[in-house]
Amino acid sequence: MTQPSTSNVIGQPLDRTDGPLKTTGGARYAAEFRLPGLCHAVMVLSTIARGRIVDLDVTRAEAAPGVLLVLSHRNAPSLPDHGRAAFNPPAGRALSLFQDDEVHYNRQPIAVVVADTFEHAVAGAALVVAHYAPQPPRLDFAGERAQAYKPKNVNGKPADASWGDIDAGERVAEVRVDAVYTTPMQSHNPLEPHATIAHWQGDQLTLYDATQYVSGVRDTVSKTLGIAADDVRVVSPFVGGGFGCKGSAWSHVVLAAMCARNVGRPVKLVVDRQQMFGPVGGRPYTRQRVALGARRDGTLTYVRHDLVAHTSDFEDWTEPSAVVSRMMYACPNGTTTHRLVKLNTGTPTFQRAPGEATGNFALEVAVDDLAVALAMDPLALRLRNHAEHEADTGKPFSSKHLRECYAQAAERFGWSRRSAAPRSMRDGSELVGWGMATASYPAHRMGASAHAALSPDGSFIVQSGSQDIGTGTYTVMTQVAADALGVAPSRVRFELGDTRLPHAPVSGGSMSAASVGPAVQAACRQLRAMLIARAIADDASPLHGAAASGVIVDGDWLVVRDEPPRRESIAALAGRIERPLEASAEAKPGDEGERHALHSFGAVFAEVRVDADLCVIRVPRVVATYDFGRPLNAKTARSQLLGGIVWGVGFALLEDTVMDSRDGRIVNANLAEYHVPVNADIQAVDVTFVDFPDLTFNPLGIRGIGEIGITGVPAALSNAILHATGRRLRDLPMTLDRLL
Ligand code: MOS
């Protein structure tokens, strides 16, 4: 097909197609579906971190007004394989489904109370009394380090990887840095917490769920309950943010289905804000050691990156922090390791740029320390060690324009005006610091399918069972479809978020656009060809008998290119077509990942101002430029990166899940005490991108943009704080008390 695109819509800053629905309250989120007879479920969570439930007194709860069911280990149905039939790391979780009396962490679900109203369910849940036989919990991350073990793998990659000869690299190094970095537990807090409505009609189960992966939820629930996948439908048209927590179906989803089956009515279970801290994952504690060696000219001779992170005592989940050091710089010798310690917490999970966000912090601070030790400009040191291929595999990057990012961001920031010495840029009572770091995130893609159909009015419906987790999937897929069809975006309606639609992968790992886009493009190109074929075969059409290769779609019209008066509107043609024209396509990655390293990159520059007396840290500006292939929508792309940078500021300066060392209770399980940036914390953020389509990666030339924005920011801020104050902070969050 050689048809030129006339719509030229890809890359345009199109407003969100779902914006009007969201701003008028018309967008329906999981907890907002209304069903006749809907009842309400509230989870009861454990109050100890380890032990057994010896008695669960539910008599008062069961007798409370409106209560229909108290589900617990005393009366829960036994599930196939002890409830673990869908256990499949790293995303298929070990769930708490009341199959035994064991408690593994504080805030583990131990019962669900179902009542006719939400208020009755809350009141009933407060009447459940658990008596425990507690055992001493393991809660001390640093203290357990001697027990660290090697996990089987880290998200499908080897736990350990080495290349070159690390001893030789250490011998020839003339300058070395070697330090330890720590990051705290962090908790997921999308605006919309997890929520599920479960509705049985006979053996058919419909779930309205807040999820990043409708077909993943279907598979988890059907396997766990031992029912056919075809009997489970998952609906999720709108998701109020999902940053990894909604990538797995957690216990509450299956519990809602179990309760609904038991009471014979639809059941709604909303995970409340406090319950977001514990049973639905989060970022684990990390302790990282990074050592670098270089020659006097700055050439790296070795990198060593060792991670210890925590996991729960019932499931291995590994934060893949050291993976970033396998690819970031050209370094002939390296070794990277991942180790786990078991604690009595909920299982950690994917949280926005898992691995990169934490690992990049340690590596990019180490590089900055090396620059100081070498008396080199930190940007010049990074350029000296610019990588053309992935160090551990030797594979060349499919497309890498990091140099352009460095240059553009440095120029916009004014980096050349930086004075090198720490504490040299004072402004009145404020110490001013400028720091920078590299951002990176791998490009992921999986197979996806799409369906496109012409409606009788000449508009198009395009569908894929993907998700829009707030990132703009509806909008960018509308653009991809419009571009492939040759029509205006307003003629396309894109539908997603339903397992009845063609299969699409998880909206995680920043992969939705790059996975679903090629399928949408292929289906729409097919449909366009069918439309043209139909017109030229139809003796009622002015295009009858034209050569297919000479017909283009131009907005609302089918046109014979060389005879423009010879045209027919799509609507007129559609009006004569009895059976709808429709096309389906599947698009899968090929073997490009065997031959190429697939990554996005960026450059982040930050200014901090530190009050010389009070040590209050402010971030007046962040300037960042990214290379993620071709942007699909300049506005939604910028929003993604802006949000990532804001999160990076929170990651660096604020976020910290604090656990009581005695009982494993998270003590700041609310948004008053779990600090995230507010407007006053965020000042100027300047986001730009370079536009180099990565056609090796997929036919649209796009890589993901969801996660890269958070990376680089924590290191850039630590580096700026060092430049401002002369003090190096290697432990997050970098709160002012650590500077006093
Ligand atoms: Mo991302 S942590 O895969 O939502």
Side-chain angles (χ1 to χ4, degrees):
M1 293 296 298
T2 53
Q3 171 143 10
S5 158
T6 51
S7 63
N8 202 14
V9 67
I10 291 204
Q12 294 303 309
L14 192 71
D15 286 345
R16 285 171 188 265
T17 57
D18 52 336
L21 275 180
K22 284 186 170 169
T23 49
T24 58
R28 199 167 293 184
Y29 292 81
E32 298 177 324
F33 284 84
R34 294 198 186 136
L35 298 171
L38 182 69
C39 40
H40 300 262
V42 168
M43 290 195 292
V44 179
L45 307 184
S46 71
T47 54
I48 65 162
R50 186 175 172 218
R52 285 182 44 247
I53 305 166
V54 291
D55 184 33
L56 195 70
D57 182 355
V58 300
T59 45
R60 285 207 303 149
E62 282 178 342
V67 170
L68 303 167
L69 170 69
V70 181
L71 190 77
S72 71
H73 72 283
R74 299 158 74 249
N75 58 351
S78 357
L79 298 170
D81 196 14
H82 214 59
R84 290 169 64 97
F87 177 59
N88 182 24
R93 316 321 299 258
L95 301 177
S96 305
L97 302 175
F98 310 160
Q99 300 297 294
D100 57 44
D101 58 6
E102 289 172 25
V103 175
H104 299 275
Y105 63 96
N106 206 315
R107 283 192 219 279
Q108 174 186 317
I110 57 168
V112 179
V113 175
V114 183
D116 57 347
T117 67
F118 175 65
E119 290 75 12
H120 282 152
V122 171
L127 298 173
V128 173
V129 181
H131 299 279
Y132 302 99
Q135 290 175 283
R138 285 178 295 187
L139 299 169
D140 178 6
F141 176 58
E144 295 287 335
R145 202 146 50 80
Q147 319 300 325
Y149 62 95
K150 181 175 161 179
K152 279 204 197 90
N153 60 53
V154 293
N155 290 344
K157 294 199 169 60
D160 295 357
S162 296
W163 62 97
D165 179 343
I166 188 83
D167 296 332
E170 284 178 343
R171 272 197 306 277
V172 297
E174 294 167 305
V175 179
R176 297 174 179 80
V177 297
D178 189 341
V180 169
Y181 305 81
T182 65
T183 67
M185 277 206 290
Q186 296 173 351
S187 299
H188 274 289
N189 275 288
L191 208 52
E192 177 207 31
H194 293 263
T196 304
I197 294 175
H199 184 205
W200 291 88
Q201 290 153 297
D203 290 334
Q204 310 273 312
L205 172 63
T206 302
L207 294 163
Y208 303 88
D209 192 37
T211 180
Q212 294 171 235
Y213 194 13
V214 287
S215 48
V217 171
R218 176 195 60 199
D219 293 349
T220 294
V221 171
S222 61
K223 278 186 198 148
T224 305
L225 297 180
I227 61 178
D230 284 348
D231 286 340
V232 180
R233 178 185 179 194
V234 180
V235 179
S236 189
F238 294 96
V239 180
F243 305 93
C245 58
K246 293 172 184 164
S248 306
W250 296 93
S251 309
H252 67 276
V253 181
V254 183
L255 292 172
M258 290 162 71
C259 289
R261 184 143 70 175
N262 186 304
V263 299
R265 288 167 61 173
V267 166
K268 167 153 82 177
L269 197 166
V270 176
V271 174
D272 73 22
R273 187 56 68 186
Q274 295 212 354
Q275 294 175 343
M276 292 298 294
F277 295 78
V280 291
R283 214 185 288 276
Y285 291 115
T286 75
R287 178 195 191 273
Q288 301 176 70
R289 176 190 168 199
V290 176
L292 300 173
R295 298 183 190 276
R296 282 261 163 241
D297 68 357
T299 312
L300 286 169
T301 65
Y302 72 93
V303 54
R304 173 187 293 280
H305 193 158
D306 300 310
L307 165 96
V308 184
H310 92 275
T311 187
S312 67
D313 83 348
F314 55 98
E315 183 179 347
D316 281 2
W317 192 90
T318 312
E319 174 85 6
S321 307
V323 171
V324 66
S325 288
R326 299 174 185 169
M327 52 63 70
M328 190 67 105
Y329 294 106
C331 183
N333 311 296
T335 177
T336 57
T337 67
H338 296 82
R339 297 292 180 268
L340 286 176
V341 301
K342 288 188 183 297
L343 296 182
N344 288 104
T345 66
T347 306
T349 196
F350 312 91
Q351 185 160 334
R352 197 89 309 195
E356 272 70 20
T358 45
N360 173 291
F361 164 66
L363 175 64
E364 289 293 299
V365 169
V367 171
D368 198 71
D369 279 341
L370 186 64
V372 171
L374 289 160
M376 243 179 117
D377 176 82
L379 175 54
L381 176 60
R382 286 172 171 86
L383 288 167
R384 173 69 47 87
N385 294 289
H386 187 81
E388 303 300 335
H389 55 259
E390 203 168 53
D392 70 325
T393 65
K395 291 191 270 193
F397 294 105
S398 58
S399 171
K400 179 175 177 180
H401 295 274
L402 175 57
R403 290 180 197 279
E404 289 89 337
C405 296
Y406 285 139
Q408 184 165 318
E411 170 66 28
R412 294 175 78 89
F413 186 83
W415 184 252
S416 61
R417 295 193 297 278
R418 178 180 186 259
S419 80
R423 301 182 73 93
S424 62
M425 291 175 62
R426 197 176 172 126
D427 179 5
S429 66
E430 288 180 328
L431 305 171
V432 179
W434 289 3
M436 56 86 56
T438 312
S440 75
Y441 192 75
H444 297 300
R445 182 185 171 196
M446 292 176 78
S449 301
H451 182 260
L454 172 68
S455 301
D457 67 354
S459 67
F460 297 87
I461 296 179
V462 183
Q463 302 168 311
S464 179
S466 183
Q467 301 74 215
D468 189 330
I469 57 174
T471 47
T473 313
Y474 278 114
T475 311
V476 298
M477 288 306 131
T478 299
Q479 289 172 274
V480 170
D483 177 71
L485 288 162
V487 304
S490 58
R491 308 299 286 167
V492 174
R493 190 167 91 224
F494 191 79
E495 297 180 344
L496 51 68
D498 191 329
T499 47
R500 289 195 174 163
L501 302 178
H503 178 268
V506 61
S507 290
S510 303
M511 74 169 90
S512 276
S515 302
V516 180
V520 167
Q521 184 185 50
C524 289
R525 282 185 172 170
Q526 265 185 51
L527 184 61
R528 184 184 63 191
M530 291 166 72
L531 194 63
I532 291 169
R534 188 61 188 250
I536 62 184
D538 183 348
D539 53 20
S541 170
L543 279 70
H544 180 67
S549 59
V551 178
I552 58 168
V553 177
D554 184 7
D556 291 338
W557 299 90
L558 293 157
V559 184
V560 179
R561 191 170 33 208
D562 299 330
E563 302 171 58
R566 209 172 148 200
R567 64 177 197 169
E568 179 173 31
S569 75
I570 295 172
L573 178 67
R576 293 196 306 278
I577 298 177
E578 278 133 44
R579 272 197 304 141
L581 280 188
E582 49 192 337
S584 291
E586 187 186 0
K588 287 191 278 209
D591 65 353
E592 58 276 358
E594 314 280 308
R595 291 173 286 109
H596 296 277
L598 308 166
H599 286 272
S600 289
F601 290 94
V604 182
F605 292 77
E607 176 175 319
V608 299
R609 287 176 174 250
V610 181
D611 186 291
D613 303 313
L614 304 174
C615 295
V616 173
I617 302 164
R618 299 276 181 219
V619 185
R621 61 197 184 105
V622 178
V623 175
T625 302
Y626 299 93
D627 163 33
F628 47 75
R630 180 193 198 191
L632 285 179
N633 179 317
K635 184 184 281 185
T636 55
R638 179 175 174 275
S639 297
Q640 284 295 289
L641 296 160
L642 201 61
I645 290 168
V646 170
W647 197 342
V649 172
F651 189 114
L653 303 179
L654 300 167
E655 284 195 62
D656 188 4
T657 301
V658 179
M659 200 165 63
D660 189 314
S661 59
R662 296 163 301 178
D663 61 8
R665 193 81 173 165
I666 293 168
V667 299
N668 58 341
N670 57 72
L671 287 180
E673 293 158 297
Y674 185 87
H675 293 164
V676 297
V678 297
N679 282 334
D681 295 313
I682 302 299
Q683 299 179 39
V685 180
D686 178 80
V687 174
T688 54
F689 25 91
V690 294
D691 181 353
F692 292 96
D694 184 352
L695 295 166
T696 303
F697 185 47
N698 61 57
L700 283 161
I702 56 175
R703 294 192 300 264
I705 52 175
E707 294 174 84
I708 191 171
I710 192 174
T711 75
V713 179
L717 291 177
S718 173
N719 299 344
I721 290 169
L722 173 80
H723 185 238
T725 66
R727 298 273 303 281
R728 171 59 79 191
L729 299 183
R730 296 189 183 86
D731 302 296
L732 298 186
M734 296 182 284
T735 46
L736 62 85
D737 52 296
R738 298 200 202 250
L739 274 181
L740 283 170

